[in-house]
Amino acid sequence: MELTLPALPYAYDALQPYMSKETLEYHHDKHHQAYVTNGNNLLKGTEFEGKSLEAIVTGSFGKNAGLFNNSAQHFNHMHFWKWMKPNGGGKIPGALEKALIDSFGTLDKMKEDFIQAGVTQFGSGWHWLTVQNGKIVITKTANGENPLVHGGKPILGNDVWEHSYYIDYRNRRPDYCKAFIEHLVNWEYVAELYEAAIK
Ligand code: MN3
């Protein structure tokens, strides 16, 4: 399967003031495009040609670092664009809201723990809401790594590589993580992945 860059599901300026047009132009058009281009080059001639993206990511982990880094980042960013929406961060659909309260006690505690995971990820990486063994847990990973390679199903992830926030927030990663969970998350898409993960 050839990796392809999906179009952004909203206009480049649609997430302002929380994520700028300039950030999305660089992040989507340059950074994500590079993962797609490099991933396709590294895929050629390997046993993974013709496999699903998930199979490439989990199969190359620990075996082919270049292919893993680029294919995992492609997977992460394909979802990342859909994990955000204009006027995001509002009401969480009922079944997911209940599951989050069951897992974390309160929604505020879930948000606090999610932000903390992003703030404490040392260097580049991601922080996640993941369905693992039927429960929702918060994790963080370095570089392109994601919960798929640890047997989890990621339902929400935020990119804390500096390219995701430095234009808008400079060094203020905590403010970026807070803005993401409060104002950008597309909870309908998270709920869709949650329903698929618990089937
Ligand atoms: Mn990125």
Side-chain angles (χ1 to χ4, degrees):
M1 189 188 70
E2 176 97 338
L3 312 179
T4 54
L5 183 70
L8 267 191
Y10 32 74
Y12 286 86
D13 61 1
L15 301 183
Q16 300 193 121
Y18 304 108
M19 191 174 283
S20 67
K21 180 169 181 275
E22 188 184 1
T23 289
L24 283 173
E25 284 170 349
Y26 275 90
H27 198 175
H28 177 272
D29 299 4
K30 307 288 186 200
H31 290 273
H32 190 174
Q33 179 65 64
Y35 299 131
V36 168
T37 304
N38 295 335
N40 281 326
N41 287 336
L42 292 162
L43 200 50
K44 280 185 197 126
T46 70
E47 63 187 297
F48 302 108
E49 267 187 311
K51 298 263 176 74
S52 71
L53 179 57
E54 285 80 356
I56 298 169
V57 171
T58 53
S60 63
F61 181 60
K63 293 185 185 133
N64 181 334
L67 180 59
F68 172 74
N69 289 335
N70 286 281
S71 63
Q73 281 291 69
H74 178 50
F75 174 91
N76 297 344
H77 287 81
M78 296 247 290
H79 288 291
F80 184 58
W81 311 129
K82 297 204 272 187
W83 276 321
M84 300 184 286
K85 68 171 191 179
N87 305 308
K91 176 103 186 78
I92 301 176
L96 173 60
E97 182 181 55
K98 184 180 178 305
L100 288 168
I101 291 169
D102 285 348
S103 295
F104 300 99
T106 65
L107 294 177
D108 282 347
K109 175 73 173 142
M110 176 275 292
K111 290 179 183 177
E112 187 186 309
D113 289 357
F114 184 79
I115 292 166
Q116 185 63 11
V119 169
T120 56
Q121 169 53 40
F122 187 77
S124 295
W126 294 75
H127 53 132
W128 309 92
L129 284 178
T130 302
V131 174
Q132 191 110 30
N133 304 321
K135 279 205 66 156
I136 304 177
V137 296
I138 287 170
T139 61
K140 57 188 174 182
T141 55
N143 301 318
E145 202 173 302
N146 65 42
L148 285 182
V149 301
H150 302 294
K153 291 180 177 167
I155 59 171
L156 177 67
N158 183 34
D159 187 341
V160 293
W161 287 54
E162 286 185 349
H163 65 225
S164 195
Y165 65 87
Y166 216 82
I167 291 170
D168 301 319
Y169 298 87
R170 298 297 169 183
N171 62 319
R172 293 178 291 112
R173 189 192 284 186
D175 290 352
Y176 162 66
C177 293
K178 189 167 190 291
F180 178 84
I181 198 82
E182 296 286 351
H183 301 289
L184 290 172
V185 175
N186 177 353
W187 286 111
E188 286 74 27
Y189 184 56
V190 180
E192 200 181 294
L193 293 176
Y194 172 70
E195 296 298 334
I198 58 167
K199 274 210 179 94

